[in-house]
């Protein structure tokens, strides 16, 4: 598989992305995956699946794509041109169609180690300092309120419906970001997540104090 071909496609495809799922997000997810993979025993074929999946993981997400079916067909032909076998393509599609937080709200998807690593790498970019920045940026792009004085500050699993409704940016921390550290699959990601989680808690503490 030629990862550079896939990378070039993704870079172009996301060049106008303004919801926090831009190419820099992709680069950070790839970096996170490298950190997680360090010291793990993985076959080269698995590493290729992981890195290719990281690169394309947001291309057919409802937050990014306006036409998921068309973008999926395009993605399949790009992957095939980059030398991915049908089996590789099936694996990559399974991963990227099942890692998202909203997909796992309905029922938890079973993942092989390849998918687990991609999921952790993406989730790490949703927490910590970057996670805070991206959450406000995304909320702004959707026209969400900054915060709602009446909402309870309790960590909870929202229903899929209420999750897709527009809630305030601060509510999003309690519906998703503060839950993520307990859902990391790998040891390394759990370790990184602990630190980033602590930083979000201290951010929120200051935030409410300043209100
Ligand atoms: Ni992502």
């Amino acid at each position: 598989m030629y990862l550079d071909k896939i990378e070039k496609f993704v870079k172009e495809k996301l060049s106008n992305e303004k919801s926090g799922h831009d190419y820099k997000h992709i680069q950070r997810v790839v970096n996170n995956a490298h950190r997680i993979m360090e010291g793990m025993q993985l076959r080269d074929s698995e590493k290729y699946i992981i890195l290719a999946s990281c690169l394309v993981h947001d291309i057919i997400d409802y937050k990014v794509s306006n036409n998921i079916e068309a973008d999926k067909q395009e993605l399949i032909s790009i992957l095939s041109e980059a030398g991915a076998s049908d089996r590789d393509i099936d694996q990559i599609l399974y991963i990227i169609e099942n890692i998202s937080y909203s997909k796992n709200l309905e029922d938890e998807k079973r993942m092989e180690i390849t998918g687990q690593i991609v999921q952790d790498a993406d989730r790490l970019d949703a927490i910590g300092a970057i996670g805070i920045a991206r959450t406000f940026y995304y909320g702004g792009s959707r026209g969400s309120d900054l915060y709602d004085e009446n909402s309870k500050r309790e960590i909870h699993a929202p229903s899929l419906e209420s999750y897709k409704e527009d809630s305030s940016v601060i509510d999003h921390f309690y519906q998703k970001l503060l839950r993520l550290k307990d859902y990391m699959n790998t040891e390394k990601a759990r370790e990184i997540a602990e630190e980033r989680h602590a930083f979000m808690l201290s951010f929120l503490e200051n935030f409410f104090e300043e209100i």
Side-chain angles (χ1 to χ4, degrees):
M1 236 188 292
Y2 297 102
L3 292 175
D4 53 337
K5 281 198 175 168
I6 302 172
E7 200 175 325
K8 189 165 168 270
F9 161 73
V10 173
K11 197 172 181 177
E12 274 170 28
K13 192 85 182 163
L14 297 179
S15 58
N16 286 317
E17 229 298 309
K18 297 281 182 260
S19 76
H21 302 87
D22 53 10
Y23 186 64
K24 290 194 185 96
H25 162 61
I26 303 301
Q27 288 177 309
R28 290 190 304 269
V29 172
V30 168
N31 290 341
N32 290 340
H34 279 297
R35 276 184 81 181
I36 295 167
M37 288 193 290
E38 247 171 60
M40 283 178 87
Q41 300 288 339
L42 293 162
R43 290 191 295 273
D44 279 350
S45 58
E46 290 173 316
K47 289 182 191 166
Y48 272 106
I49 294 291
I50 291 165
L51 294 173
S53 301
C54 284
L55 286 170
V56 303
H57 80 272
D58 275 333
I59 295 288
I60 54 172
D61 188 287
Y62 76 96
K63 295 190 286 307
V64 170
S65 170
N66 294 319
N67 188 339
I68 292 181
E69 213 26 65
D71 284 333
K72 186 172 170 176
Q73 288 316 316
E74 186 185 23
L75 176 59
I76 290 171
S77 42
I78 295 292
L79 289 171
S80 159
E81 279 166 35
S85 68
D86 288 351
R87 194 165 167 267
D88 294 336
I89 294 175
D90 283 347
Q91 287 184 29
I92 293 167
L93 289 178
Y94 180 80
I95 291 173
I96 67 174
E97 287 181 327
N98 288 290
I99 55 167
S100 77
Y101 183 71
S102 53
K103 275 276 163 62
N104 286 273
L105 279 175
E106 296 166 301
D107 65 312
E108 226 173 292
K109 308 288 180 194
R110 282 176 60 86
M111 288 281 173
E112 289 182 35
I113 187 66
T114 45
Q116 291 180 10
I117 291 172
V118 179
Q119 188 172 51
D120 281 0
D122 190 32
R123 286 181 170 177
L124 283 175
D125 205 53
I127 60 176
I130 289 280
I132 294 170
R134 288 182 67 218
T135 304
F136 283 96
Y137 190 82
Y138 181 71
S141 82
R142 299 283 300 249
S144 308
D145 285 342
L146 211 51
Y147 60 91
D148 172 358
E149 300 89 334
N150 299 317
S151 48
K152 290 200 199 87
R153 296 172 206 161
E154 275 166 12
I155 301 173
H156 64 282
S159 68
L160 185 61
E161 233 172 63
S162 72
Y163 180 70
K164 287 191 174 176
E165 265 168 32
D166 264 328
S167 50
S168 78
V169 174
I170 290 294
D171 284 335
H172 192 66
F173 283 80
Y174 294 90
Q175 293 181 349
K176 176 179 174 184
L177 308 194
L178 294 171
R179 294 185 76 222
L180 290 181
K181 90 170 164 52
D182 293 329
Y183 290 88
M184 294 295 167
N185 304 295
T186 62
E187 201 49 55
K188 184 72 191 173
R190 256 193 296 280
E191 194 186 301
I192 302 170
E194 281 297 339
E195 245 174 72
R196 296 189 182 189
H197 183 83
F199 182 71
M200 290 194 295
L201 290 181
S202 94
F203 167 79
L204 287 168
E205 200 178 308
N206 282 35
F207 189 92
F208 292 122
E209 207 176 284
E210 290 172 24
I211 290 175

